[in-house]
Amino acid sequence: MKKIILFLSLVLILISCEDSKEKADLLVFNAKIYTVDDGFSMAEAFVVKDGKFLEVGDSENLKDKYEYAETLDANGMAVFPGFIDAHAHFFGLGMQQQRVDLTGTKSFAEVVSKIEEFQKEKNVSFITGRGWDQNDWEVKEFPTKDTLDKLFPDTPVAITRVDGHALLVNQAALDKAGISTQTKFEGGDIEQKNGKLTGILIDNPMDLVENAQPAASKKEMAEALMDAQKICFEYGLTTVDDAGINKETIELIDSLQNDGALKIRIYAMLSNNKENLDYYLDKEPYKTDRLNVRSVKFYGDGALGSRGAALKESYSDRAGHYGALLSPVETFKETAKRVADSKFQLNTHAIGDSANYLVLKTYDELLGDGGDRRWRVEHSQVGDSADFKYFSKNIIPSIQPTHATSDMYWAEDRLGEDRVKGAYAYKKLLDQAGIVALGTDFPVEQVSPFLTFYAAVARMDTENYPEGGFMKEQALSREETLRGMTIWAAYSNFEEEEKGSIEAGKFADFIILEQDIMEVDLKEIPNTKVNGTYVNGEKVY
């Protein structure tokens, strides 16, 4: 009888212990977890409750400590914080899915063929597309509109260069936009040869054609956002910084997130226009768990590939041509002062060394010791050695490593042997600033963060060219690169307390990879596949 009583007592104690265990939603165990905390520590398990990491530790202890609704055996696979793309065009990626894709075309004839195929299938009233790059063609000159005029005499055609800073249009598009040889403009170019329009527009004049295009419907915009989310989740992106969007798009994002359809987190940079600035700058930044609206995107200059980047000395392959700022200096300084007087961050596109100098000097003058502002220089692509001193954790380089491996074939032609040494100088930027925020600039480049990782560390293209790496002394280590895609990117968004690492109290955004990018042979990194993407502990891919 005493034995029975003792047995029942033990059972009751065990039941009591079970009842006293804290309930949790998910246990991930038997994993190789890169926490990306301050000490870059490793773990093998974590607990998720109410969308956040509750505890990180070892599998056996955490198995016994909580009562779980769900468990996940990672089978030893590598787990990372959800990747953050610190500079991309999320909405633009989605809209591109509805346009002709010219990425990777090897000749203008191939471009034309793709446009013809697209129009046969879609039969739209205004043909748009993106992705061509004359630097990838045998004839490395800008195309002209003549062929498009013959094939589409009555249908406007506007196709954007891969970098988004040059546009080829036909005569029908020029007519619709009201562009002639007499059209006045500031910043960029309306190219003419022998007194006639070629159809090439650089930077600011492109807006005239964009404004003449039919506006996308709310349905098309929503579909674009959902399409972009699907692509990003497949690559393990859980937060994307959208570098230049308008109030209408931001409100649609917020609505879709509130409805539970759009689960990805967005850090929104306001496009620099009157409507956006007048509406937002006098208010507090707008913040939810999934949307953060607290920055302004300003375009300082154009792109190097289309010779629109503003340089201190003329282009090495076009004497007397310096590129151009896209706004007068005073306009930039006035906007910067207006942002400085608000609670918003300023993120300025600067490619050429002249544009970088203007941006850095202006930032330095306005910020001084004025607190924690974390203004960003987007791209920080070509730097004069005298100007690197301005970078810090308050003036942050936001860089895209795949630009180096895309541009390396012709960058020296544009800049010359000496000046190119200050370009794509990611290690030098990191050493000066203490952090770098890493992104892709998709759809200018591919969405894949694994290409970002590979380009940053290997400094080679996917064909392993050039041997030894392009300016390999500017490569980042694997740890630096991972930090740049997670916690440093979060810091650049004022979000390091809520994401960017796997630590208790932060959002349970994490990814499981089919191979460990911190240890596999470098050449294998571009082929990495995502096994699972989780936002708030919910599997979204």
Side-chain angles (χ1 to χ4, degrees), residues 108 112 115 145-153 157 168 170:
F108 183 55
V112 171
I115 295 171
K145 67 186 179 66
D146 300 347
T147 302
L148 298 179
D149 286 346
K150 291 174 185 173
L151 292 172
F152 306 100
V157 180
L168 174 65
N170 66 350

Side-chain angles (χ1 to χ4, degrees), residues 293-413:
V293 187
R294 66 165 301 157
S295 64
V296 174
K297 167 73 179 300
F298 195 101
Y299 278 97
D301 62 347
L304 196 64
S306 48
R307 297 187 184 86
L311 301 179
K312 292 182 177 182
E313 302 294 336
S314 69
Y315 277 77
S316 295
D317 58 357
R318 186 176 290 180
H321 181 73
Y322 293 81
L325 297 173
L326 299 186
S327 300
V329 170
E330 284 311 308
T331 300
F332 170 65
K333 290 188 172 183
E334 287 167 6
T335 303
K337 178 67 167 64
R338 186 177 178 189
V339 177
D341 291 339
S342 76
K343 293 186 178 179
F344 281 69
Q345 174 193 49
L346 183 58
N347 300 338
T348 307
H349 164 118
I351 300 285
D353 53 6
S354 180
N356 270 282
Y357 172 74
L358 170 65
V359 172
L360 290 165
K361 186 72 172 166
T362 303
Y363 280 16
D364 185 64
E365 290 170 355
L366 284 172
L367 299 184
D369 298 321
D372 184 16
R373 300 303 301 269
R374 306 185 197 183
W375 283 16
R376 293 167 38 169
V377 185
E378 304 298 326
H379 309 305
S380 307
Q381 198 161 299
V382 183
D384 186 315
S385 59
D387 300 333
F388 281 82
K389 65 186 179 187
Y390 291 108
F391 287 103
S392 68
K393 285 191 175 179
N394 215 29
I395 300 179
I396 300 170
S398 171
I399 56 179
Q400 301 76 46
T402 47
H403 283 343
T405 52
S406 292
D407 298 358
M408 63 184 176
Y409 307 100
W410 46 263
E412 190 171 326
D413 294 338

Side-chain angles (χ1 to χ4, degrees), residues 280-295:
Y280 286 101
L281 286 193
D282 291 334
K283 300 179 174 66
E284 293 288 320
Y286 180 75
K287 179 78 166 68
T288 71
D289 282 354
R290 296 184 194 260
L291 177 62
N292 194 354
V293 187
R294 66 165 301 157
S295 64

Side-chain angles (χ1 to χ4, degrees), residues 167-334:
L167 186 70
L168 174 65
V169 297
N170 66 350
Q171 189 61 44
L174 291 169
D175 292 342
K176 194 165 184 64
I179 296 173
S180 71
T181 55
Q182 306 305 310
T183 299
K184 290 181 169 48
F185 60 90
E186 282 188 3
D189 194 17
I190 298 175
E191 190 180 80
Q192 296 184 39
K193 284 186 180 176
N194 301 319
K196 294 183 179 180
L197 298 175
T198 67
I200 289 289
L201 310 178
I202 306 291
D203 290 314
N204 287 350
M206 295 166 56
D207 292 342
L208 300 172
V209 175
E210 184 175 337
N211 294 337
Q213 295 173 26
S217 67
K218 274 283 196 314
K219 180 174 180 291
E220 289 170 331
M221 291 172 67
E223 286 175 355
L225 291 166
M226 296 304 294
D227 286 346
Q229 173 176 258
K230 181 176 183 293
I231 296 167
C232 289
F233 281 161
E234 289 173 2
Y235 284 106
L237 294 171
T238 55
T239 295
V240 174
D241 294 13
D242 202 329
I245 50 176
N246 291 319
K247 176 175 176 282
E248 180 186 18
T249 308
I250 289 169
E251 290 176 344
L252 180 57
I253 288 170
D254 195 26
S255 173
L256 290 170
Q257 288 175 332
N258 288 334
D259 289 345
L262 199 67
K263 299 176 185 295
I264 197 166
R265 302 189 203 278
I266 301 292
Y267 187 80
M269 302 184 204
L270 299 168
S271 291
N272 172 45
N273 59 53
K274 188 176 187 305
E275 181 191 6
N276 287 338
L277 301 194
D278 287 351
Y279 182 80
Y280 286 101
L281 286 193
D282 291 334
K283 300 179 174 66
E284 293 288 320
Y286 180 75
K287 179 78 166 68
T288 71
D289 282 354
R290 296 184 194 260
L291 177 62
N292 194 354
V293 187
R294 66 165 301 157
S295 64
V296 174
K297 167 73 179 300
F298 195 101
Y299 278 97
D301 62 347
L304 196 64
S306 48
R307 297 187 184 86
L311 301 179
K312 292 182 177 182
E313 302 294 336
S314 69
Y315 277 77
S316 295
D317 58 357
R318 186 176 290 180
H321 181 73
Y322 293 81
L325 297 173
L326 299 186
S327 300
V329 170
E330 284 311 308
T331 300
F332 170 65
K333 290 188 172 183
E334 287 167 6

Side-chain angles (χ1 to χ4, degrees), residues 64-91:
D64 294 337
K65 191 170 179 180
Y66 299 91
E67 182 182 340
Y68 300 100
E70 185 182 353
T71 61
L72 174 62
D73 183 347
N75 294 310
M77 285 190 287
V79 177
F80 297 87
F83 289 151
I84 300 170
D85 192 314
H87 183 109
H89 301 278
F90 180 79
F91 179 59

